[in-house]
Amino acid sequence: MKKKIFYWCITTLLVVGMAGCGKDSGEDSMDESVTDTLVSSSEDVSAAGSQDDGTASETEDPAEKEPAADNPESPDGASDSAAGGSNLLIVYFSVPEDVETTDAVAGASVLIKDNEKLGNTEYVAKVIQQAIGGDLFRIETVEEYPLDHDPLVDQAAEEQDEGKRPELLNHVENMEQYETIILGFPNWWADLPMPVYTFLEEYDLGGKTIIPFVTHGGSGFSGTVRTISGLQPDARVSENTLSLSRNSVADSEEEVVSWAESLGLSQNE
């Protein structure tokens, strides 16, 4: 009887393990990174916008898939690009998952800050802006993404398979004023989220510097830095990148600030 129970347990573990595999063994599993897990905040982080053949070097893990106002916005939604005259734009895509529908509530993927729900990438972007200034622009789509985990996973995979370019809700009207673009995104199925493709194909960033940062579930940048170089071949894609595991975002503020300051781009007086 004990042997039967033992064999039954082993069989069950094997079935569960197979079911948990991602779309491809080399890709981030959607449970880990596609959902761009929530950060809900306890200290204030607010502050004052297709090819894979690029040649830029990447700083990435050994292993390697948000919205816009007519002008970049400050964290409270107010447009500040025209008034501020900044030459630095922090662009990010971040779709928060509905924390109440997942078991991530008690896990390391959720962070409590001022009772405000924030995606990992959104949180990092706001910490960067607080540290060095610049204008903030969130890439958003006309069609809203599902907030529940499983439908979001399915839609992200379908968009990637179809090479879809989701229509963006708003746009940067004064892109010419920016010399540097800090671009943040989650790793979705070992690629850029498709709205980031839309954003990069909408503008000619030739002559500008693009500095990528990524939040991920274990696969780092994958090939996304090369992809950015392929989409913007006349831009300079920086090698000074930032890669953060979703499990470390909660404790990443010091690391993010240190990285942001190392860029030498501070707009703060």
Side-chain angles (χ1 to χ4, degrees), residues 180-198:
T180 303
I181 314 293
I182 297 178
L183 177 62
F185 50 88
N187 181 321
W188 277 15
W189 292 119
D191 201 353
L192 299 170
M194 302 315 289
V196 179
Y197 275 90
T198 306

Side-chain angles (χ1 to χ4, degrees), residues 38-48 73-77 80 90 92 94 111-134 136 138 249-254 256-257 268:
L38 287 181
V39 182
S40 282
S41 298
S42 77
E43 58 187 276
D44 188 3
V45 296
S46 342
E73 58 185 17
S74 60
D76 62 4
D80 64 358
I90 303 163
Y92 70 96
S94 183
L111 173 36
I112 306 299
K113 289 197 174 285
D114 278 347
N115 299 316
E116 180 186 4
K117 290 184 178 181
L118 301 171
N120 280 341
T121 312
E122 180 180 17
Y123 172 74
V124 176
K126 289 183 176 183
V127 171
I128 292 170
Q129 190 198 37
Q130 183 184 44
I132 63 173
L136 196 63
R138 178 174 179 169
V249 170
D251 302 313
S252 69
E253 183 174 355
E254 184 175 341
V256 172
V257 170
N268 298 330

Side-chain angles (χ1 to χ4, degrees), residues 87-249:
N87 64 3
L88 171 64
L89 181 62
I90 303 163
V91 177
Y92 70 96
F93 175 77
S94 183
V95 178
E97 181 181 359
D98 183 353
V99 68
E100 294 182 359
T101 67
T102 73
D103 15 354
V105 174
S109 59
V110 176
L111 173 36
I112 306 299
K113 289 197 174 285
D114 278 347
N115 299 316
E116 180 186 4
K117 290 184 178 181
L118 301 171
N120 280 341
T121 312
E122 180 180 17
Y123 172 74
V124 176
K126 289 183 176 183
V127 171
I128 292 170
Q129 190 198 37
Q130 183 184 44
I132 63 173
D135 297 330
L136 196 63
F137 181 85
R138 178 174 179 169
I139 300 172
E140 294 180 291
T141 55
V142 171
E143 179 185 352
E144 294 183 359
Y145 279 88
L147 292 178
D148 293 342
H149 176 271
D150 289 343
L152 176 58
V153 166
D154 293 342
Q155 183 169 327
E158 182 180 338
E159 286 181 354
Q160 188 187 75
D161 290 343
E162 297 176 356
K164 186 175 181 181
R165 299 296 190 266
E167 182 181 356
L168 301 187
L169 182 61
N170 295 310
H171 312 275
V172 181
E173 301 296 343
N174 54 334
M175 184 63 82
E176 67 282 352
Q177 92 176 43
Y178 299 105
E179 298 175 4
T180 303
I181 314 293
I182 297 178
L183 177 62
F185 50 88
N187 181 321
W188 277 15
W189 292 119
D191 201 353
L192 299 170
M194 302 315 289
V196 179
Y197 275 90
T198 306
F199 175 85
L200 288 170
E201 291 173 350
E202 180 171 331
Y203 303 98
D204 178 4
L205 304 181
K208 301 181 187 297
T209 298
I210 303 174
I211 306 174
F213 73 88
V214 69
T215 57
H216 61 89
S219 294
F221 277 101
S222 299
T224 55
V225 175
R226 290 189 299 273
T227 299
I228 293 167
S229 293
L231 292 167
Q232 290 290 338
D234 296 324
R236 174 183 175 270
V237 181
S238 175
E239 298 178 19
N240 188 358
T241 59
L242 176 67
S243 174
L244 289 171
S245 165
R246 69 184 179 97
N247 294 325
S248 66
V249 170

